[in-house]
């Protein structure tokens, strides 16, 4: 199974001048200046998110009038309280307790309504550079633009956000799976490169040893479910089926992935990143992608596992910074044009991940080998076999 992303951008963009905005979600203090060199972990900007008071209906909790409930308070105004700690108690027959819904300060109680207020601590917010590069522009009160020569590789699916570390290739080829026996102390603080698929046991082993992320070709759906802490396929009724992409929920509108596992916290730390380059199942990593990454073994890279299918399409990214002396070009954000001679990757299930070259672009809708009538391209595989495939089943490689 594969995911098709209608984003007109190449899978591999080599030797480009990459520009990225690093922006706070609210106004704050910018900590860098134009022309400054930054490292991935450097702070670019910081601010403070003022928390809103959390109300608690103490009178309703005690089943008393607001005035009577005021006499049952067990904490003073201004006192520090922990989530779940008692705010008021009623003893005797039908005893009741009103507990704090959050950790913070008990700032007020209204004897007319019976509502108490818990003020939670302000939350510091910051944004890091994420890239090794130069600040080329300042976004007043919000952040900066960072520019760096780099090679950019886009994945298919990811879990987690931004991370950086030294790339460690632990497999010998693009078709070799990642298993726990391959994981040792070399992966500590590193971003691990695999080949084909990866098991949940191997991913949890990487987390135990302090790896920051992993890049691999594919993952089976049951292994992904086990990694994220969902029940197995033998127990679908208890929640495994609920994490399907597009499942309708009021809170996420069906596209919040991964949702919290049923009955507990996720076993995956928030700073661990998984990037899948090909899709779901047991699919070897594209050979060109594998060789490109392996050639930078031991070099610091940056990855971003964010995957969005709506409200701003996004797919995971692998950023390999290059030396300033490298010949670079601008990345055309509008995407490359499909033309005769273009190298493409096939996305259809029968040929997923295979590399081909476009040899013809017939005008108008035509019948593909599958029988579908659509805009098509004629391509040749590496072994010389010719195919006619819909253009939506092609992804420009670079």
């Amino acid at each position: 199974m594969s995911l098709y992303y209608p984003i007109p951008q190449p899978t591999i963009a080599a030797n480009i001048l990459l520009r990225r905005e690093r922006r706070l979600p609210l106004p704050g203090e910018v900590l860098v200046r134009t022309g400054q060199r930054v490292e991935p972990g450097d702070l670019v900007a910081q601010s403070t998110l003022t928390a809103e008071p959390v109300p608690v209906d103490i009178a309703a909790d005690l089943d008393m009038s607001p005035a009577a409930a005021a006499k049952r308070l067990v904490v003073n105004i201004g006192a520090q309280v922990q989530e779940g700690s008692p705010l008021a108690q009623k003893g005797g027959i039908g005893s009741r307790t009103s507990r704090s819904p959050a950790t913070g300060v008990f700032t007020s109680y209204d004897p007319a309504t019976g509502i108490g207020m818990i003020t939670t601590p302000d939350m510091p917010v910051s944004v890091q550079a994420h890239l090794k590069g130069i600040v080329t522009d300042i976004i007043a009160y919000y952040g900066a633009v960072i520019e760096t020569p780099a090679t950019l590789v886009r994945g298919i699916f990811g879990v987690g956000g931004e991370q950086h570390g030294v790339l460690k290739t632990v497999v010998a080829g693009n078709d070799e799976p990642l298993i726990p026996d391959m994981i040792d102390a070399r992966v500590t603080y590193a971003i691990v490169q695999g080949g084909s698929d990866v098991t949940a046991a191997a991913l949890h082993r990487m987390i135990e040893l302090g790896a920051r992320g992993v890049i691999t070709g594919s993952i089976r759906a049951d292994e992904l479910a086990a990694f994220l802490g969902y029940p197995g396929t033998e127990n679908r009724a208890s929640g495994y089926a609920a994490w399907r992409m597009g499942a309708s929920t009021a809170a996420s509108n069906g596209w919040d992935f991964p949702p919290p596992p049923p009955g507990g916290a996720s076993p995956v730390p928030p700073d661990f990143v998984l990037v899948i380059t090909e899709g779901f199942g047991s699919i070897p990593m594209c050979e060109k992608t594998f060789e490109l990454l392996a050639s930078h073994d031991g070099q610091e890279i940056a990855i971003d596992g964010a995957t969005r299918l709506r409200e701003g399409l996004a797919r995971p990214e692998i950023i390999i910074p290059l030396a300033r002396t490298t010949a670079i070009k601008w990345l055309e954000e509008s995407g490359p044009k499909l033309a005769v001679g273009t190298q493409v990757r096939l996305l259809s299930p029968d040929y997923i991940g295979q590399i081909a070259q476009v040899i013809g672009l017939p005008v108008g809708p035509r019948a593909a080998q599958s029988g579908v009538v659509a805009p098509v391209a004629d391509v040749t595989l590496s072994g010389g076999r010719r195919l006619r495939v819909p253009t939506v089943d092609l992804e420009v490689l670079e």
Side-chain angles (χ1 to χ4, degrees), residues 12-143:
I12 300 172
N15 303 335
I16 61 169
L17 194 60
L18 189 68
R19 293 169 60 89
R20 286 290 182 266
E21 282 191 1
R22 309 300 295 161
R23 177 188 287 266
L24 289 168
L26 71 166
E29 178 187 9
V30 178
L31 304 175
V32 295
R33 65 185 184 280
T34 303
Q36 179 178 338
R37 291 184 177 272
V38 291
E39 296 294 325
D42 290 347
L43 284 182
V44 170
Q46 63 184 10
S47 187
T48 300
L49 181 62
T50 303
E52 300 227 351
V54 179
V56 52
D57 195 337
I58 295 175
D61 289 345
L62 299 184
D63 193 22
M64 301 177 71
S65 68
K71 300 177 182 179
R72 302 288 183 167
L73 295 175
V74 295
V75 294
N76 297 322
I77 301 299
Q80 292 279 347
V81 295
Q82 300 296 316
E83 182 178 353
S85 63
L87 301 176
Q89 292 178 326
K90 180 178 73 172
I93 299 175
S95 60
R96 289 172 173 265
T97 301
S98 177
R99 299 185 180 277
S100 175
T103 298
V105 178
F106 183 54
T107 49
S108 67
Y109 176 79
D110 187 348
T113 63
I115 302 294
M117 288 291 180
I118 309 297
T119 300
T120 55
D122 291 342
M123 181 183 300
V125 179
S126 62
V127 61
Q128 294 181 333
H130 182 52
L131 304 174
K132 182 177 183 179
I134 295 178
V135 177
T136 58
D137 198 8
I138 298 297
I139 306 170
Y141 305 108
Y142 282 93

Side-chain angles (χ1 to χ4, degrees), residues 7 25 34 42 147 156-157 175 190 200 208 210 256 267 294 305 312 320-322 351 366 372 396 398:
I7 302 176
T34 303
D42 290 347
E147 184 178 286
I156 288 290
F157 167 78
D175 57 352
E208 289 174 7
D256 183 13
I320 307 170
L322 304 174
Y351 303 99
R366 303 288 181 92
V372 173
V396 176
E398 63 177 320

Side-chain angles (χ1 to χ4, degrees), residues 162-289:
E162 297 174 344
Q163 190 55 275
H164 63 275
V166 173
L167 180 66
K168 290 293 182 184
T169 305
V170 298
V171 297
N174 67 316
D175 57 352
E176 188 174 1
L178 260 175
I179 58 176
D181 290 346
M182 297 176 176
I183 311 303
D184 54 30
R186 293 176 299 164
V187 308
T188 303
Y189 304 125
I191 294 171
V192 181
Q193 180 192 351
S196 59
D197 57 325
V198 62
T199 65
L203 290 169
H204 288 306
R205 176 67 174 156
M206 292 180 215
I207 292 172
E208 289 174 7
L209 291 175
R212 294 179 174 178
V214 60
I215 306 164
T216 192
S218 57
I219 188 169
R220 294 176 58 87
D222 55 347
E223 295 290 347
L224 178 60
F227 171 59
L228 296 174
Y230 289 89
T233 53
E234 74 285 351
N235 194 14
R236 289 179 182 271
S238 64
Y240 173 71
W243 64 274
R244 291 173 302 178
M245 295 288 280
S248 178
T249 62
S252 66
N253 202 22
W255 298 99
D256 183 13
F257 190 85
S266 171
V268 183
D271 55 352
F272 184 83
V273 181
L274 168 66
V275 174
I276 301 298
T277 63
E278 310 303 322
F280 295 103
S282 297
I283 308 167
M285 184 182 294
C286 169
E287 189 172 358
K288 192 177 186 76
T289 302

Side-chain angles (χ1 to χ4, degrees), residues 361-381:
L361 291 167
V363 178
R366 303 288 181 92
Q369 290 189 221
S370 62
V372 173
V373 177
V376 297
D378 293 327
V379 302
T380 55
L381 301 177

